Amino acid sequence: METVFTTLLQQHDLRLVALAAVVCSLSAFAGITLLTHARRTAGIMQRVWLAIAAVSVGFGIWATHFVAMLSFHAGMPVGYDLPITLVSLSIAILIVGGGLWFAAIGTRRSDSVLGGVVIGVGIASMHYTGMAALMIGGTIAWSSPLVAASVLFGIAFAGASIYFAVNGHTLRQRVRATILLTLAICAMHFTAMGAAGLENCFAIVSAEDQTPQWLSIVVALVSVMILMFALGGSYLDLLDRRRTLAESDRMRGLADAAVEGLLVVRNGEIVTANQSFLSMVDLPQASVSGRQLAEFLGSPVCSMLIERPNVALETDLKTAFGVVPAEVILRQVDFAGQPHQAVAIRDLSARKQAEQHIRFLAHHDALTGLPNRVSFSRKLEDEISHARRHDQTFAVLCLDLDRFKEVNDLFGHAAGDVLLQRVGQALLGAIEGVGDAARLGGDEFAVLLGDIGTPARAGRIAEQILDAFRRNNEQSAGGALISASIGIALFPDNADTAEHLMTHADTALYRAKQDGRGIYRFFENAMGAEVRDRRMLEHDLRHAVSRNQLRLVYQPQVDVQSGEVTGFEALVRWKHPERGDIPPSVFVPVAEESGLILQIGEWVLRSAANEAARWKSPLSVAVNVSAVQVHSPSFAQTVHEVLISTGLSPARLEVEITETALIRDMMRAVTTLRQIRALGVRIAMDDFGTGYSSLANLRAFPFSKIKVDQSFIRAVDNNDQSAAIVRAVLGLGSGLNVPVVAEGVERVEELDFLKNETCQTAQGYLLSRPEDIRTFAAVTEGRSRFLDSLDPAPLRALAG
């Protein structure tokens, strides 16, 4: 090795050696960098970058050798044979390029070492070929040990360098690889120069023809420029790849943000998929990429997509958990510079479910799940056709809940909805296997019983339905109770068309309600006219208030002992333009069943209060209130508003209720009455003794007055039982300090009995019939306190 250092220090121009070292280092750095870049590239671009690396690095290594040779002082003028010099350049490019290629495509760790060995061989081959280009006389005496050492240095350092370059991923390892490759070039060159003995050589080139040293600078500059261009190109390519990768990541982000599943496909094979598709099939990216599209969509659909691009197709998508409906569309796209197909897949599960729900709602009731009126009508028409062909009898049942409007008013619409759902469930359980049920709307239901054979069977099923409702009430933890009436019409006995069957069943339903509710009735021909008349009456009653057909009459209430008028009871009358006067006993039940009683009751209350407010005499006015009004949540507010708008003193208004209003819902009724009492309004119990739990009712609420029903007053003077009851009520009133009013006094004997029993107040035909308030102008204007201007007989009877 001493010979090598002596040759380096004494026979070389160290300035050119330094230049050669710079070129060598730059070549080594370029070689490692371009090799790393090529390994990150695929396809044709990898081969392009390997070619660039071969040319630039091979030229750089050759330039290092050439500059170092020009710095060598052989002791005589020397020249270089141009053809052989170019051959050495070609060897450097080809063999070094081959080593880089082998290292780039290798998959094993040993492949990188082998690639470095090829590069080391290339460096040695280039050097000794370059030495053969020296134009000198004589023969070079080579030192075999140093020649072998030079080749081994080149192979060993180059192998280690490429190993670290390929298998290292950090900057430190790349710097190490660069240093090792530099050592491979320099160690090989200068060891080989030390192996060359020129003692027996002589000059054959004149001093003027020898190769000038300035040519080394030119070669070095050219080499540096080539290397810089190569490194610059790799840097720009790296920037472009990073930009492409960023754009690819951005596009993937956008693709993953898409709701639809997106696939990139080439020749039927899935290249990549977005996150939506991976979630759709419940598979990772690694399990999707590389698989055939037909595995998810089926071969026929894939063929149709190719044949009909840009056309959406509905199919089934195979996933890890089953099959889901999907919409698929294919478009041709350019991906990574090559033609591909983009396949968009939309999950139709939600849409299919929505469509199915819409179809269900089109034929079913959303609240109960029962078929609706449209479905029932279609089923009824089909049943008629079937019954005609097979000569069968079937039945149609119409159901209507009793007092359903009161349930909504009392408990709210949410409770009403729950009640309807309970009805639907109980109805399905009662007719399971024997008929079809439907909700026609509101609280109306219908049942179709096919091939019943005899009417009795329809009646038994109707009874089963009512029993099912009763059992549901017993099992219910609370809330409203189910009560329904049923009307039954038979085919073909009652009608042979769907319209007439439903009409007759509805008619029978009205009869069931009239006969007591909670029962069923078959249609009879005689029902038709009666029901039609009742419906017409209800229709006309709806417009009675707006058409000013209702009026109030007043019946005075008289102090039994003094004969003075203490107040009036307001009674509503309806004068129909065609039917004439219709008694309250006829139209009031219709108003209660239809819910019109709320409108009519408010009109009566407002009209009576407005009339009483104009009286000069501060007499009281009593107004009858139905159970529906008492149970209305807004009734107390209505009374308050009427008092404010009319200016009537609350103490002059008396609200009369029957015990029936209390029986239906004691707690709600008492709450409403206490709100009214808090306003200062007096409350009287009407028709006392005809209801239930009268004493309990009196205890639950302190009434201002008790009115004895006229059925007890009639013939009280000669009927011991009636007399005993009236005496008991009068005693009860006295004990509770509550005034008692006797209704329906029509005979002088009845009045005498009440006077003798110290009854406080009476009213009835004996005293006065209900009349227009103008008939009692003398009393209301304060000119008289008695009714003697009308008929002196009652007054004489009172006076005794």
Side-chain angles (χ1 to χ4, degrees), residues 350-367:
R351 194 179 84 180
K352 292 295 184 181
Q353 291 176 359
E355 290 174 353
Q356 184 178 0
H357 185 60
I358 291 172
R359 286 194 296 270
F360 178 84
L361 292 180
H363 302 286
H364 291 78
D365 171 53
L367 182 63

Side-chain angles (χ1 to χ4, degrees), residues 204-215:
I204 61 173
V205 178
S206 64
E208 291 79 9
D209 294 333
Q210 70 176 349
T211 303
Q213 288 188 340
W214 56 263
L215 187 60

Side-chain angles (χ1 to χ4, degrees), residues 476-494:
S476 178
L481 301 179
I482 302 175
S483 176
S485 302
I486 303 176
I488 306 173
L490 304 175
F491 175 94
D493 298 348
N494 300 139

Side-chain angles (χ1 to χ4, degrees), residues 382-601:
D382 294 341
E383 187 65 29
I384 290 175
S385 300
H386 179 79
R388 283 174 179 167
R389 290 194 304 269
H390 298 86
D391 194 23
Q392 293 178 348
T393 297
F394 70 86
V396 174
L397 282 62
C398 281
L399 292 80
D400 189 88
L401 300 186
D402 299 331
R403 299 185 178 89
F404 178 69
K405 189 176 188 304
E406 294 182 27
V407 173
N408 282 331
D409 293 338
L410 288 173
F411 303 104
H413 289 283
D417 290 344
V418 172
L419 180 64
L420 291 173
Q421 291 173 338
R422 288 171 49 202
V423 170
Q425 295 170 359
L427 188 58
L428 286 176
I431 66 169
E432 184 178 4
V434 298
D436 299 293
R439 182 188 176 200
L440 305 183
D443 61 335
E444 299 178 41
F445 294 82
V447 174
L448 182 61
L449 303 175
D451 191 21
I452 60 170
T454 62
R457 185 163 181 265
R460 288 194 298 270
I461 296 175
E463 188 61 43
Q464 290 177 11
I465 294 173
L466 296 176
D467 287 341
F469 291 162
R470 285 189 283 269
R471 288 194 302 271
N472 188 280
N473 290 334
E474 293 172 359
Q475 298 170 1
S476 178
L481 301 179
I482 302 175
S483 176
S485 302
I486 303 176
I488 306 173
L490 304 175
F491 175 94
D493 298 348
N494 300 139
D496 59 358
T497 65
E499 181 180 359
H500 288 160
L501 276 171
M502 294 300 296
T503 300
H504 293 341
D506 201 36
T507 299
L509 172 62
Y510 271 91
R511 172 53 63 87
K513 286 184 173 293
Q514 287 180 333
D515 290 350
R517 303 174 185 270
I519 59 176
Y520 68 90
R521 288 290 183 265
F522 285 93
F523 172 78
E524 299 174 3
N525 291 328
M527 295 179 179
E530 181 181 346
V531 172
R532 284 194 296 272
D533 181 71
R534 186 178 181 85
R535 287 181 175 175
M536 288 300 300
L537 189 68
E538 179 183 332
H539 176 270
D540 294 341
L541 186 59
R542 291 185 182 277
H543 305 285
V545 174
S546 61
R547 294 174 179 174
N548 297 319
Q549 295 175 4
L550 299 180
R551 63 186 178 89
L552 292 181
V553 294
Y554 296 82
Q555 187 174 35
Q557 296 176 338
V558 179
D559 187 296
V560 174
Q561 303 301 326
S562 66
E564 294 183 2
V565 176
T566 59
F568 294 89
E569 180 180 1
L571 303 170
V572 64
R573 297 292 185 266
W574 180 19
K575 186 176 183 61
H576 194 279
E578 298 176 358
R579 305 186 186 200
D581 290 328
I582 300 177
S585 60
V586 174
F587 72 80
V588 169
V590 175
E592 289 183 335
E593 291 178 5
S594 62
L596 294 172
I597 194 65
L598 293 175
Q599 176 189 4
I600 295 174

Side-chain angles (χ1 to χ4, degrees), residues 25 28-40 160-182 234 238 241-242:
S25 299
F29 176 75
I32 300 302
T33 301
L34 293 175
L35 174 61
T36 303
H37 188 67
R39 283 179 56 82
R40 294 174 178 174
S161 172
I162 302 304
Y163 175 82
F164 285 115
V166 171
N167 299 299
H169 302 285
T170 63
L171 180 61
R172 174 181 293 182
Q173 290 172 315
R174 293 182 188 176
V175 171
R176 183 185 303 170
T178 301
I179 293 173
L180 288 173
L181 185 58
T182 302
S234 67
L238 182 61
R241 286 176 57 188
R242 288 178 178 176

